[in-house]
Amino acid sequence: MGKRHFSGLEVSLMVLFALVLVVAVAMVVLLATGEPGTMKEEGERVDCFPDAGASQQKCLERACCWSPLNETNVPWCFFSKNHGYSENVCFAADIEAKLTRMDAPSLFGADIKELTFYAEMQTENRLRFKITDANQARFEVPHEHVQSLSDTPNGPLKYRLELIQKPFGLKVWRTTSPEKLLFDTTFGPLVFADQYLQLSAKLPSHNIYGLGEHVHQTFRHDTKWKTWPIFTRDAFPNGGTHNLYGHYPYFTCLEDTSGQSFGVFLMNSNAMEVTIQPAPAVTFRTIGGVLDFYILVGETPEAVVDEFTKLIGRPFIPPYWSLGFQLSRWDYGSLEEVKKVVERNRQADLPYDVQYTDIDYMENKKIFTYDMDKFAELPQFADYMHDKGQKYIVILDPAVSTGQRINGPYDSLERGHAAKVWVTEPDGVTPLLGEVWPGETVFPDYTNQACIDWWVDEISRFHKEVKHDALWIDMNEVANFIKGGIKGCADNKLNYPPFTPCILDDLMYSKTLCMDAKHKWGDHYDVHSLYGYSMVLATDKASKAVFGTSRSMVFTRSSFPGVGKYSGHWLGDNGANWNDIKWAIPGMLEFNLFGIPYIGADICGFFDNSTEELCTRWMQVGAFYPFSRNHNAQGYADQDPVAYGIDSLVVTTSRHYLNIRYTLLPYLYTLFYKAHVNGETVVRPVMHEFYSDIETWAVHKQFMWGAHLLITPVLDPGVELVEAYIPDAIWYNFETGVKITDRKATINMHLPADKIGLHLRGGGILPVQRPNVTTTYSRLHPMGLIIALDDNKAASGELFWDDGDSRDTVSSGVYIHYQFSVANDVLSMQVAHNEYTDPNNLKFEKITVMGVNTAPALVRVSDGNTVITLNVSQINHDSSTQVLHLENLELDLGKDYTVNWESKISVNIDCYPEGDENQAKCEARGCIWEVRETIFSIQPCHFQIVCTLYTESEYFAVTFAIFDPYNARYEVPIHLDLPATPETDETKREYRVQINNQPFGIQVIRKESNEMIWDSAVPGFTFSDQLLQISTILPSDYVYGFGETEHPTYKHDLNYQKYGLFAKDQPPGYKLNSYGVHPFYMGLEKSKSAHGVLLYLCLGWTHQTRPMIGRPVLPAYWSLGFQLCRYGYASDTEIADLYRDMKAAQIPYDVQYADIDYMERQMDFTLDQVNFKELPALVDQMRAEGMRFIFILDPAIAGNETKGSYPAFDTGIEKDIFIKWPAEFSSDIVWGKVWPDYPNVTVDNSLDWDTQVELFRAFAAFPDFFKNSTAEWWGEQIKDFYNNIMKFDGLWIDMNEPASFVHGTVGENCLGNEDLENPPYMPPLESKLRGLKHKTLCMNSEQILASGTHVKHYDVHNLYGWSHTKPTYDALLSTTGKRGVVVTRSTYPSSGRWAGHWLGDNYSAWDQLLKSIIGMCLVVLGKISITGADICGFFNTAENEMCLRWMQLGAFYPFSRNHNTINMPRQDPVAWGPEFAAMSRDVLNIRYTLLPYLYTLMYEAHVHGNTVVRPLLHEFVTDEKTWDIDRQFLWGPALLITPALDPGVTVVRGYVPNERWYDYHTGEAVGVQGQFVDMDTPLTKINLHVRAGHILPWQKPENNTHYR
């Protein structure tokens, strides 16, 4: 009967029916589970069709979601929420749960219905959870080191496990505050079938490192849908995504800039694949075993490696000789050729320790044999190598030939047969036959104890025949040249599983054994990837049997986690090409994560011929592989260095960099010790050291040795400029010692053909040894130290030293362990452990110190009993490189030492400070004339002395005065709070004072540290009538203070700077003397103590300004609110409108000012009745609503008014309060001109300034505030204004330097001694050529002190503002009856008792933001707590972004006022629009929230003398990094403020001091301490951090403090 043919309609109906059926099945599943399918973002899809052939129909049959895209690597078929398991029963005590599979179609069949979930909190940092069949045992990895723990964690867990019931999932949280989700498996369903297990997890970041073994072209994974197979395979590492030799289902994830990281390890040896996707997330798919996960939580990436190696086993310490350079190739052809290679490289004096022979040494490639023709003398070859201090290593493959030897039976094979040591066919009896190098082979089953015994015996036998020093095991993936076996492989579920991961060739038994082959541990399906691991365990036993107490070594091609405990690894059969030289670096970095630090790649490439350029560059970088071996393949040209010619660049550069390697071997060996003991990496990613810098996260063309050596190779042809990243630290060129200027920057590093980039990180001490051509000879040579000083001139390091060969020296204690440190120019060499005596009587002979600015005066070496001073020939300081070499030392290895280099300072004290010097003038004064070409500003005419600094300090107070015993001289009339009687008991003093006679000087020494903190015993002391000079040597470079003048940094530049101090109406500018005078500095000492020096009286010195100059005033609470002002309000209406707009914008705001605009013709104590007539009423209204008002008052009083019309002047004349000439010259007032105008004039503002002053400014008289009568008069005027004209709450006093618009007096004719107006020596003042009278009064003017003493203005000029302040403060209190606040422009030490200070008439420019922080920090040194700068700038037009950033910064000024000048646009917050106003409101709300804390700080300043605004060094003085920081500041001890100070920035670099800190905005812990970090700073944010351990009082903010 013929076949029936369906019609087209019938076919269409059948297709339609099939589609409906599929949809129906899917709907049934959805209804059964009760969960709707959900669509996901592309990056969050979990693949439901990892196998081939996905279609919509097949996808729906699996009850998954189908959504095609235009990208094929993104899953089109993906899981819904309807798959997975549900949790039925949870046993909380054991953290065990029973899971039941939810009803859903199967992906690959044989799904397991019931599972057991079990979790162990193994340690504080390690969580294990396992998911397996609840009813039937499954294969689990029989790891020799990883075990379940019986002990409970010793401390609080750093993680929390959360279980989700349906669908079952788990979340692992880091227990920070707030918690951080690390590993979230609710991201995708759990799938657990017999041969398909899947688990997905969402991760917190894209910074994923690890998984292997593959070629990863970058160290950080690409998360754009990459799938990596894991299944050991003999394959070429050619850059594809295929599986290679090792099996590493492990990765590390760096969470963020805190450095906090975690590792994820799946203990499973079955074939698998891992998908990384953009969510970011990972999916593990394995085809057997169990899901046995370990989550390892660490504070840093290095801490995660520590945790992982604790779990799988710490790395072994390789024998010292194995760190030498090594040569190998496949197929030398004969032993004679091997010796030629050895000899030619010896003749080139190339450092070279190890020679290999590959399988060509064997008889027909049979293991445990040698070719008795071409390698006849092989048994003697090891002795030949040993004679020159070198070693010999042989290769062993696992596969054993089934053929006979040339001259008889193959005994190794026969003994193997007898012991039944082979991997078998599925019957468990018949050896499985394959084919490898010798032809047909059998394969040892290293999981069989009989095989292990056979292997140990065979190696022992072979070693007796052919002596060798270590074993290289290869082809152990296990490799097979035919698929599965000679008989082929059966068609079953092991050889053809329902799902095959994306392994090479997509065939399980390709190039290996059949999966159903049998081992003692189980089916080859399960243990394939453990073959190399089991071979390593067996070979290690053989090594111990053969080499006994000698350490020897094994290194392997195939590996599994834990192999590093016994073996090293190389990166396999690479090629001689520029890609493979690049890709070796990520490979080495990954194996350090995997716990195998003894790692390297075949230098110059295994396959293909290497060009001379490639081999040159590869030898350079290979000199810094931990395992440094040049190896190539059969049929290619020789590539040992001398093969290119003994005078070739390959040889010269190889010799050079191998000598550096050998010099550094003590450091490298110590790194392996630290890996063995602490689990540290040896080759280290830059990211591990600088994780807070996001630029390091993807660095993969540079690497580090430990923490301190940065290697930057050339990895491309024809290149001499390499793009290199320089992390944020001090770095020194290793070869020159020169400190490079770049940091935290990508640079183009010049590396010509003979150079590689080597840089030492400041802060490291590297032990070194004089190199030789082998490690045997090197170890006979003296040792040394290379010290690279960091920013704090400190460093540390260590040395591990043993005999380099014996086993278990760490556990037996037979070693030396040194701890090295440098601080305060003292090197400490402390032996932490010493139970080894080196037979070579080694000594440290040379110490090199990089970063020593000046040559030391002397160097002392102490062993604790005797002190030796080095002679000059032993001290070599290179001033151009700033490198110090201490040579020809004899410091015994194993003893403690301290080495102290004491800085030599050449003190050039200016002998011609007035300038205009020449040689004749200089020598006429008896001084030294010396002109030097230097980058520094050396004074050519100087006194000179060379002296030595000593060391360290603490709190004390001492005062001394130098005076004329025969003639009374003016002394500062300010009371100091000094003890009534000095301390006469020297034992109670914390200092001692000594007088030096030649030259005269006073020396103050801190007893505790013996550090000289004041030493004026230097030439140049001068005491003449108008020039007094004293100099001191400083104990450190860290000096702060001197004002008032603008400084670009808080810490002074000591490169011969001069600062003029003389009060003047001068807007801030670099080195321009401004409003106040503060002859005070604070100095830090090397001991991290501090002292202060205040010049006082005639010539005096004192320390400890608090409480000496008085405590700062406690201001009214409202004065801590935000304040608004401008010079140039046109009328009271403008102020009223501003007040209305600020209220409408709800911007916190407490104080409104009026500048001189409110006055009639700018005269004190008057009111402009035209433009400001309604101001009193407005003030009353505002005060009734909780606001406060402050008015300005200048000291100068108009003198051209009609008698009786201006009471202030009239009563001043009556009380004789104005400054006059001395009686011998005139009885007249010393007239000046300031702001007041003549009566009845119209000012023409189009005229130049001097003409306006001449034509329109009235004569002005200056009150002498020293007189008691002046203080009374001033108080009366203030009270009269308050009672009769207008109320106020505080006073702002300005122009009190005193400022005048004419020079000296009207007409500029100063009476009296011209030397007072233009003294013989003029300090470096602004307009010094115009004399001291410039913009102020004549210096001959007379003032009268409260005591009645007549003094010249020359002496008290700098005190005018100070004398003005207290009468103003007293008048405010008397008038208002309330505390209020006074703000003054001119200050002197102790002004802070009564007033605050703003930083004057600044400019609207970005640089002023930083300078305001520096200015505030300088002001608080003078004990003025209420301080700040004019927010957004006084002069010039403000710019929106700058003003916004300034509002954020200014919100944390103690005195927070926005103020600008006339004829400039408004810059108050509401002037910029709603967005600006909102951002201002937000930051001011933070200020107002924290006002209780700020007010408390003001109280503590008032009572205890604490600072309010605080430089970081005040809190963290022991952390020398803080000594230079001026872009951040603190409120008290607990609030760290990190503003944005530059245009266009969205990230600021800030320092996190060495304590725990929390983000004020989020409450999250920062996670790093003692580090600079990048902080996100969008326009809406200023970075604020709260210090742990402190409680900050706060209050809900309101629109002003009245409503608090």
Side-chain angles (χ1 to χ4, degrees), residues 253-267:
C253 179
L254 171 68
E255 297 159 34
D256 51 39
T257 55
S258 70
Q260 290 182 329
S261 307
F262 66 97
V264 176
F265 173 45
L266 171 58
M267 178 67 89

Side-chain angles (χ1 to χ4, degrees), residues 204 345 351 380 613 655 962-963 1044 1161 1180 1219 1468 1558:
N345 284 278
Q380 295 79 43
E613 181 190 11
R655 183 191 301 117
I962 304 171
F963 56 90
E1044 183 170 5
R1161 290 183 287 113
D1180 290 344
I1219 296 175
D1468 50 83
Y1558 296 90

Side-chain angles (χ1 to χ4, degrees), residues 65 177 529 617 1059 1063:
C65 303
S177 180
S529 289
R617 291 304 194 185
Y1059 300 100

Side-chain angles (χ1 to χ4, degrees), residues 29 43 208 300 538 605 970 1107 1150 1309 1584:
V29 170
I208 302 168
T300 65
Y970 162 79
D1150 261 87
N1309 180 28
L1584 305 173

Side-chain angles (χ1 to χ4, degrees), residues 32 37 438 451 517 593 638 706 799 831 896 904 982 1129 1162 1354 1443 1535:
C451 177
L593 299 186
D638 286 348
L799 167 66
V831 180
D896 292 345
K904 182 168 68 177
Y1129 288 128
Q1162 296 87 242
Y1354 177 87
C1443 193
L1535 184 68

Side-chain angles (χ1 to χ4, degrees), residues 847-862:
I847 296 172
T848 299
V849 191
M850 299 177 180
V852 178
N853 300 337
T854 56
L858 72 162
V859 178
R860 295 189 179 98
V861 179
S862 172

